[in-house]
Amino acid sequence: MTHEAPAPDVAVIGGGQLARMMQPPAIALGLRLALLAEGPDVSAAQVIGAHRVGSHTDLDDLRAAVGDAPVVTFDHEHVPPEHLRTLAAEGHECRPGPDALIHAQDKLVMRRRLTELGVPCPRWAEVGEPSDVVTFGFPAIVKTARGGYDGKGVWKAESEADLEEPFRAEGELLVEELVPFRRELSAQVARSATGEMVDYPVVESRQVNGVCSEVIAPAPNLDPALEARARGIARTVAEELGVVGMLAVELFETDDDRVLVNELAMRPHNTGHWSIDGAVTSQFENHLRAVTGLPLGSTTPRQPWAVMVNILGGAVEDLEAQRAVALAAEPDVKVHLYGKAVKPGRKVGHVTAVGDDLEDVLRRARRSASLLTDGVEG
Ligand code: ADP
């Protein structure tokens, strides 16, 4: 007798750690995932049995991985919109859909739309040649509209001499004022296919060399009025752009007490990893609930503080061997490894500590992460 596997409930495109971390809540909720993975042993392919290997830019690979899944969602923002339109025409709900996702793919489209909506952004302009940046004024941040990530495709320009490199890059460019910010914040909401929305506490995210290094939830000493404004911005963006799933709005908290939108991500986000161990419902679970139209779960923190520290590829090459050392040193810090080969600076895992004393929570999370990154206590 042969057993035909039932159709998956959700197809996830992209086999990184975000897809991987959707699997535990999928198991708990009894949702079957399918996956399009970049390779046979990428992070999510290790844990999602129903995976196909292929490219997210190839329509036939997308079709093969999606199969009969009614819902398609994403580990990243790089699927071409025209392929999503084709999948939609063939009867699959893409969540988020191409008309929402474009705002996370293209920073010019995003700036235009948010400005129309009256959402506060840094002063910005589209630029075609270096003289446009000179007219805009220095210091400035020049960005490629598409394809940037983790600080790539972002240049600080103090004078005309700094414009050579960005203008060698391919594609459209925009310029933004260099925002004098106190810190970076992230506001996340889940919006269900039914229109229901829940928002998470606003968190502080600390970056090193353009890469998220640690996240504190909730953001310490955040003025309640600014927190309300940040949550309101995230809800407005989710609603107006028709996002379905998780939305992260990366924000600058300025020296003069404003919040300005930096960029959008329409998927679970690094600044929400704390929620796995720190909130009643994680961002991964709420993402799956949202894209399948299930009722959303509470975003309330389980403890007053959660600190997430990324494990970036460093001196430790054998993460699995070092895992026991970190767990022995800090048994209550939760270690999440992504099954990725260690390369310098690559995100290969994270740790989360929770508790009621922020200094203690920070110390424990950093100690564990440092043992997994550098092999020594930081
Ligand atoms: P990426 O797409 O690589 O994440 P971002 O647009 O988020 O690019 O920029 C990366 C980092 O550069 C931000 O986290 C922030 O630290 C800095 N940055 C970006 N835009 C500005 C700006 N307008 N003013 C000041 N710093 C900025």
Side-chain angles (χ1 to χ4, degrees):
M1 205 167 79
T2 58
H3 290 277
E4 187 111 342
D9 298 293
V10 180
V12 186
I13 310 304
Q17 63 265 24
L18 302 179
R20 178 185 177 99
M21 288 186 274
M22 289 179 203
Q23 183 64 311
I27 292 169
L29 291 170
L31 292 170
R32 289 172 183 267
L33 300 186
L35 178 74
L36 179 61
E38 296 77 1
D41 195 43
V42 296
S43 185
Q46 295 165 26
V47 301
I48 300 177
H51 63 264
R52 293 248 180 179
V53 174
S55 164
H56 60 267
T57 59
D58 183 304
L59 184 57
D60 289 331
D61 287 353
L62 286 164
R63 282 185 175 128
V66 169
D68 293 329
V71 172
V72 179
T73 194
F74 311 97
D75 169 89
H76 57 67
E77 279 121 5
H78 309 311
V79 181
E82 62 272 20
H83 289 350
L84 298 181
R85 293 214 167 78
T86 304
L87 291 175
E90 293 171 0
H92 309 278
E93 295 283 354
C94 296
R95 295 179 170 158
D99 296 336
L101 205 55
I102 190 70
H103 301 89
Q105 294 172 323
D106 188 314
K107 289 175 180 167
L108 264 173
V109 174
M110 180 268 290
R111 285 282 177 243
R112 283 190 202 111
R113 188 71 204 281
L114 296 192
T115 303
E116 260 170 42
L117 291 171
V119 170
C121 291
R123 193 168 67 84
W124 66 278
E126 184 173 353
V127 287
E129 46 191 284
S131 66
D132 296 336
V133 181
V134 176
T135 309
F136 182 87
F138 296 105
I141 299 279
V142 182
K143 299 183 179 185
T144 54
R146 292 184 178 231
Y149 67 97
D150 285 349
K152 294 180 183 69
V154 176
W155 298 269
K156 186 174 167 185
E158 306 271 8
S159 70
E160 215 172 339
D162 296 329
L163 297 177
E164 217 174 286
E165 202 185 327
F167 279 88
R168 269 204 304 267
E170 269 181 40
E172 293 176 305
L173 294 176
L174 66 157
V175 63
E176 295 175 1
E177 65 176 305
L178 177 75
V179 176
F181 62 83
R182 202 181 281 149
R183 57 179 168 175
E184 295 188 56
L185 303 172
S186 173
Q188 286 189 293
V189 297
R191 183 168 179 276
S192 169
T194 63
E196 184 193 0
M197 274 200 274
V198 292
D199 51 25
Y200 282 84
V202 175
V203 302
E204 173 174 342
S205 98
R206 298 180 176 173
Q207 327 276 324
V208 177
N209 302 325
V211 180
C212 175
S213 148
E214 59 187 33
V215 169
I216 305 175
N221 304 315
L222 179 60
D223 177 346
L226 276 189
E227 144 120 304
R229 211 165 299 154
R231 286 189 180 217
I233 288 171
R235 282 178 169 263
T236 301
V237 171
E239 183 92 52
E240 296 289 336
L241 272 47
V243 178
V244 176
M246 285 297 307
L247 166 73
V249 181
E250 293 180 36
L251 298 153
F252 300 121
E253 181 186 346
T254 67
D255 291 344
D256 59 355
D257 291 320
R258 292 177 301 148
V259 279
L260 304 177
V261 173
N262 176 25
E263 66 171 344
L264 309 178
M266 293 181 192
R267 50 172 168 75
H269 190 252
N270 198 169
T271 57
H273 291 356
W274 68 275
S275 63
I276 299 175
D277 305 300
V280 172
T281 315
S282 79
Q283 62 164 348
F284 298 98
E285 177 167 349
N286 265 336
H287 186 75
L288 289 177
R289 292 195 196 195
V291 300
T292 54
L294 288 168
L296 302 176
S298 163
T299 58
T300 305
R302 293 171 184 272
Q303 295 272 334
W305 297 104
V307 171
M308 189 272 341
V309 182
N310 275 334
I311 304 167
L312 302 178
V316 172
E317 280 174 20
D318 189 348
L319 264 184
E320 284 73 24
Q322 194 64 9
R323 173 174 57 196
V325 176
L327 292 175
E330 291 294 344
D332 299 333
V333 174
K334 296 297 179 184
V335 172
H336 300 255
L337 299 181
Y338 303 155
K340 290 161 69 172
V342 175
K343 290 186 196 152
R346 186 184 200 197
K347 288 177 188 169
V348 290
H350 74 267
V351 301
T352 304
V354 298
D356 53 18
D357 179 69
L358 178 56
E359 283 314 308
D360 178 59
V361 174
L362 266 173
R363 185 190 56 74
R364 289 190 288 120
R366 286 176 182 164
R367 183 173 182 225
S368 173
S370 177
L371 285 167
L372 286 160
T373 304
D374 304 319
V376 292
E377 300 193 11

